[in-house]
Amino acid sequence: MSYRKGSKVWVEEKGEGWLEAEVVDAKERAVVVLTSQRKKISVLPEKLLPRDTDEDLGGGHVDDMTKLTYLNEPGVLYNLKRRYALNEIYTYTGSILIAVNPFTRLPHLYNEYMMEQYKGVRLGDLSPHVFAVADASYRAMVNDSRSQSILVSGESGAGKTETTKLIMRYLTYVGGRAVLDDRSVEQQVLESNPLLEAFGNAKTIRNDNSSRFGKFVEIQFDKTGRISGAAIRTYLLERSRVVQINDPERNFHCFYQLCASGKDAELYKLGHASTFHYLNQSKTYELEGTNNEDEYWKTKRAMDIVGISRSDQDAIFRTLAAILHLGNIEFSPGKESDSSKIKDSTSNFHLQMTATLLMCDPDLLVSSLCSRSIHTNEGIIIKALDCAAAVANRDTLAKTVYARLFDWLVENINKSIGQDVDSKAQIGVLDIYGFESFKHNSFEQFCINFANEKLQQHFNEHVFKMEQEEYKSEKINWSYIEFIDNQDMLDLIEKKPIGIIALLDEACMFPKSTHVTFATKMFRNLSSHPRLEKTKFSETDFSISHYAGKVTYQTDSFLEKNRDYIVAEHCNLLSSSRCPLLSGLFTSLPEESVRSSYKFSSVASRFKQQLQALMETLSSTEPHYVRCVKPNSVNRPQLFENQSVLHQLRCGGVLEAVRISLAGYPTRRTYAEFVDRFGVLVPELMLGSYDERALTESVLQKMKLDNFQLGRTKVFLRAGQIAILDVRRAEVLDNAARRIQGRFRTFIARKEFVKTKEASISVQAYCRGCFARKMYKIMRETAAAIILQKHVRRLIVQRNYQEACSAALLIQSCIRGFIARRYFSTIREQKAALVIQSFWRKRKVAMLFQHYKRATIAIQCAWRQKLARKELRKLRMTANEAGALREAKNKLEKKLDDLTLRLTLERRIRAAGEETKLVEISKRDKIIETLSAECAAAKSSARSEHDKNLLLQRQLDDSLGEIAMLRSNKILKAEEEKQNSNLKNIVKSLSEKNSLLENELSTARKSSDDTMEKLKDVEGKCTHLQQNLVKLQEKLTNLENENHVLRNKAFNISPKTVSEVLPFYNPLKFSETPTPTKHLAPIPHSTGTRRQKLPVERHEGNHEILSRCIKENLGFKDGKPVAACIIYKCLLHWRAFESERTAIFDHVIEAINDVLKAKEADGRLPYWLSNTSALLCLLQKNLRSNGFFGTPSRRSAGSLGLGGRTGQVRNPACQLFSLSLVGRGDTLAQVDARYPAILFKQQLTACVEKIFGQLRDNLKKEISPLLSVCIQAPKSTRAQPGKASKSPGAGAQQPSNSHWDNIVNFLNLLMDTLRENYVPSFFIRKLITQLFSFINIQLFNSLLLRRECCTFSNGEYVKAGLSLLEKWITDVTEEFAGTSWHELNYIRQAVGFLVIHQKRKKTLEEISQDLCPSLSIRQIYRICSMYWDDKYNTQGISNEVVSAMREMVNKDTANLVSNSFLLDDDLSIPFSTEDLSMAIPATDYADVELPECLHLHPSVQFLLKVS
């Protein structure tokens, strides 16, 4: 393939595998490329692979790698890498699922809601998920009645076990059955995982929880698709790990769990794991994030669930402890040569413990370890073993015991779960080890890789078969495509008589054979095989070229690990054990086997047989593949190692599948996609309408391509042809770009010329203007100078004239002033003389008057002095009396202080009493006796307060008496002041003091009056509290009596009635006040009732008329339900509400339930919602409780006090009798209700909720198919990228009328039905609101789960559809729609975000606060990671914003319990009984007449008489 400058390519690199690069120079034999690391390198064209030029558009990744433009190794690798960075861990490759281990918890991907989303959905419709594969297998099994299999593979640590758990969890979810006991089949299947993990998993170098065995779980189903049984098969348990481990690996988990089990470990004489030889070969005893003790109890719980008895559990753990003690037994040379014995006392202790735990003879145990018996015709020969042989014998015993114990566990699990022999279909989940290649590879890796070769052959056949099926469905010719498999590899390993396994078994049969003889014979017989090589530096090692690469095996331990001897001494020892479990594991050997102490059995041959059986099982099923990938070797999240992933893709066969696809037609595109991408090559054919298939063929013929195939819906291209088309497309686009650039440069040049021309014209005009303005200025200045000269001359003449006039006027005014001043001086002298004369006369008279006045005052003072001396003596006496008055005032102040202090204390006591009462009232249903004691304490406190208030009243009366005395003294003092008015100046200070004292007395009087008022208020409140407490005690007594009666009655209710009432009881509604548990004496029946109780027999004849009213549609009259009114009038006339024993209410409820269970019940739900709600409202408004609740008329809305709180209590037995009618003016007479009426109300409420919930659920089921086609725009309405640019200013596209109009028509039909049945607007509003909430949830969740929905054109499509819903909500008004438009907030904001332009300029704050305030960061991140612009091919959110959101999501993942980005459906009932009584108006049933069809019935003749 030839490359041109600017081509995007992949270049191979050792560290990263592949790098992104761009061609900067293309020569004949070499191509110079610029890598993403900004390095220029020269490579051969053959070593480059093409890269999609449009990969950055659409998010830069695809969810199915068959959609990649170039299906090659780097394209697969980087697509996985980009998706992994967005936490998209699942990716399809056709029907194969690739799962990348995230190494972090993602609970939002695996909750029950997510399982419900994938239930019944076709594979590929939603985002890739392991649930989709599990559902596809389940649906294929149910629809085709054929068994399925799911093959989960991957290397250690890739997440195979967790993926298998998820698959089994989903299968038990869709195929589970109701749990009839504590140990259901589904639970046992799921709980078998932790049990098998404890005994079969261990820590390896790559994984802390690596499965050291293969597992195939068969889940069996019956004809209805429900789980009927299960079975588990295991393969090749790594037995050698029991006795030998390498650092830092661990032994099987169960050993460490048992050592950390606490008391159980002490029981078996176990210590820390480091004290045992089988565990301390590695220094790793703990796993990060795992507690061995907790895991031990989880394992025991799993044993309980799968049905292992306690005795068997004890035997299992005793056996594990015996294995640990057995490993600590050491040997030393014996007295004889080549013999051995127990080394020391420590080893002897472990020997005794081993024998005790195995329940066998210690001497027999020593004999079986240190000697070997050989049976001959002459007798038994006992041969002693040396120390090395004894140790090997000990390890053989440990491995044999553990292997048989593991097999027993698997067999016991299968027995406990139970297999369904009659099962016709099953789903098998295979969790098997992946391809392994280490530095040192032994017999285990050989078997594991052999199994993977077998599975890879099956996988290749499946992939090729899928390719053939697609070619057949598209009706293209595929006969010449060759299929290359790995059969030669399998022949090398398993073919007889010269396969590797056959040669190994032959070598194991000869006791003196070694790995050297085995290797020599293998090389001699198989040296010509192309896949087998001999290593250069070893005579015994060999290399095999597997499908995943070359692996070198060391044959040092091949023979030992392949030999599975059955030691007769071990079998005899353990078959004689007193432990039933152990003796059952080792049955006595037949006589022919006893003759040989060691019987050989080939592990490889047995494994080959198991593998062949597995392949036969898989061949009889339809396979589904899940390939697990480990992204890095350090088990860290968000770290992607390219080389490691590439190796796993090769080992997992993914790249092999790519190779198979490349052998055929790797590139396949629908005609629409092909035309969208390559239509630019034939622009002359794109005008007008065209046939996409013919246009595709024209494009390919014009490009002169061969070997392409045109299918029914797709075009199939051979490898490399898409690159040729892309090169030609790039040339066309480059030419178009050059043409656009030329036109644009022309436009810019012309624009500059026009701009320069306009500038020159402007400069010329400006110059001419300046010259004209200069000439005009000169002419203007000349004219101005002439005008100035004229005005100056005029001003000079005018000034001279004005000076002459002013001089003449000045002279005249001076002469006139002189004459006037002389005349004024004469007149002033005359007036001054007259004034002097008048003042002199006045002075003489004043002096004479002053003389007479002084004499008079002297006489008066002498007389007043005489009188003052007398008065002074009297005032001194009065002053002494004022001192006594001051002392009285001080005493009064002290008394007022004491009263104030006491009042403060009383307030605190009253506040403490009120708090105590409130606390005790809130806990009244829990501790009745404590409440009574507190009530008594409150009463005594109130009495003491009353006594103290009386004492304070008396003290205030005394104070008032003293104040009255002071007032009288004040009056006497005022009289004295009137008599001695002449002495006011002398006693002024004394009067001021008296006035101050008077002010203080008035203040004290006011404070005493306030104190009296407050004390009166306190007394009134105490009295009110006493009354409320009495009422509260009465209320509690009534509630207790009612609960006692209801409990007694409940024992007499039939099971059917109870089952109809209890399912609708929701304990959350009554969590405010729990029912008291104290048993009270039964309520005595009143003997003085005015109305005689009706017998039960009287109502039995009326059942027929009620049944007819319920079964027949009586319709409505003036909007009132006839059936509800007739039933209420009948019950009221028959006095059923006042009867203490009657079955008529149960009959009514049963009849309504029977109608709702009928086939045509769905169509009558609105009718019965209207009738039952009307009947319930009639009961609430017209019934009055008698004997169970206080009378409502005794309360007032404004004086409830503390007792008013009891009106909010909602008890399960009395919730329908809440006092919601207080203060409402109901004109209908109320009827006393007895216990049956109470129960009838409760049942009727449950019936209303049931009808509402059933109607809501039916509507959701009906609208779900309509919503599923509305979330994604039809292909015919999508704007093609090539055509969208012609009208960029066009508005949002109009939705396809068919889909959204169907929803609007559905809503219109619903409104018509509800209105025809006169359903109250309250119910319509709640129903429509919940329906729109469901629409919001379904659309929003579908948007987040399907990548093809997160597009620009699809956002326009959904937004236009939402506008239709908005118009519908506006048309039906808020009375019926309520807050429905606000329920669509999530989908409205999400769609609004999809259709905005220039998303790259939006910051995280603008997105989260302005555009999508209701959405969480996780939801916004999900939309951003899936969005792609299919209309304008613009880029989405900037990488910086996406990175910031990713960090926030990863940070919150560890803090959230459930971090799902999906919305949950609300299934609660959105109203209560009080809401109904307040929202639904009263129904006047008096004017509802009896229908003509019921006139002849004798039980309702009274209704005709009344009418």
Side-chain angles (χ1 to χ4, degrees), residues 623-685:
H624 304 267
Y625 291 92
V626 178
R627 293 297 191 238
C628 298
V629 175
K630 184 177 181 181
N632 58 78
S633 57
V634 293
N635 299 349
R636 284 177 49 193
Q638 294 298 325
L639 179 60
F640 196 89
E641 297 176 354
N642 291 1
Q643 286 288 6
S644 175
V645 174
L646 269 177
H647 174 71
Q648 293 175 69
L649 292 177
R650 295 189 182 103
C651 295
V654 176
L655 298 183
E656 189 73 9
V658 172
R659 184 185 64 80
I660 294 174
S661 297
L662 290 174
Y665 298 97
T667 305
R668 54 206 70 178
R669 291 286 184 273
T670 62
Y671 292 122
E673 294 173 350
F674 187 86
V675 170
D676 288 343
R677 186 176 179 88
F678 300 108
V680 294
L681 300 179
V682 284
E684 65 277 3
L685 301 179

Side-chain angles (χ1 to χ4, degrees), residues 750-768:
R750 185 179 183 281
K751 186 177 180 180
E752 289 293 332
F753 170 75
V754 172
K755 187 176 180 181
T756 304
K757 181 180 179 181
E758 292 176 352
S760 61
I761 294 174
S762 299
V763 170
Q764 293 174 359
Y766 178 75
C767 293
R768 295 188 186 99

Side-chain angles (χ1 to χ4, degrees), residues 192 195-196 199 213-216 231-235 308 403-417 419:
S192 67
L195 182 57
L196 292 177
F199 285 84
F213 68 102
K215 179 177 63 176
F216 185 69
I232 299 175
R233 301 180 191 172
T234 58
Y235 304 93
I308 300 177
R404 297 205 180 188
L405 178 63
F406 184 80
D407 294 338
W408 180 90
L409 273 175
V410 175
E411 181 181 358
N412 196 71
I413 291 172
N414 290 333
K415 289 180 180 179
S416 177
I417 295 175
Q419 300 188 41

Side-chain angles (χ1 to χ4, degrees), residues 152-167:
V152 182
S153 64
E155 76 167 29
S156 180
K160 300 187 301 297
T161 303
E162 291 299 324
T163 302
T164 304
K165 289 181 186 178
L166 294 173
I167 293 173

Side-chain angles (χ1 to χ4, degrees), residues 914-927:
E914 288 179 353
E915 292 177 357
T916 305
K917 294 167 194 173
L918 291 175
V919 172
E920 293 303 327
I921 288 172
S922 65
K923 298 180 179 178
R924 58 188 177 279
D925 293 329
K926 295 181 179 178
I927 313 173

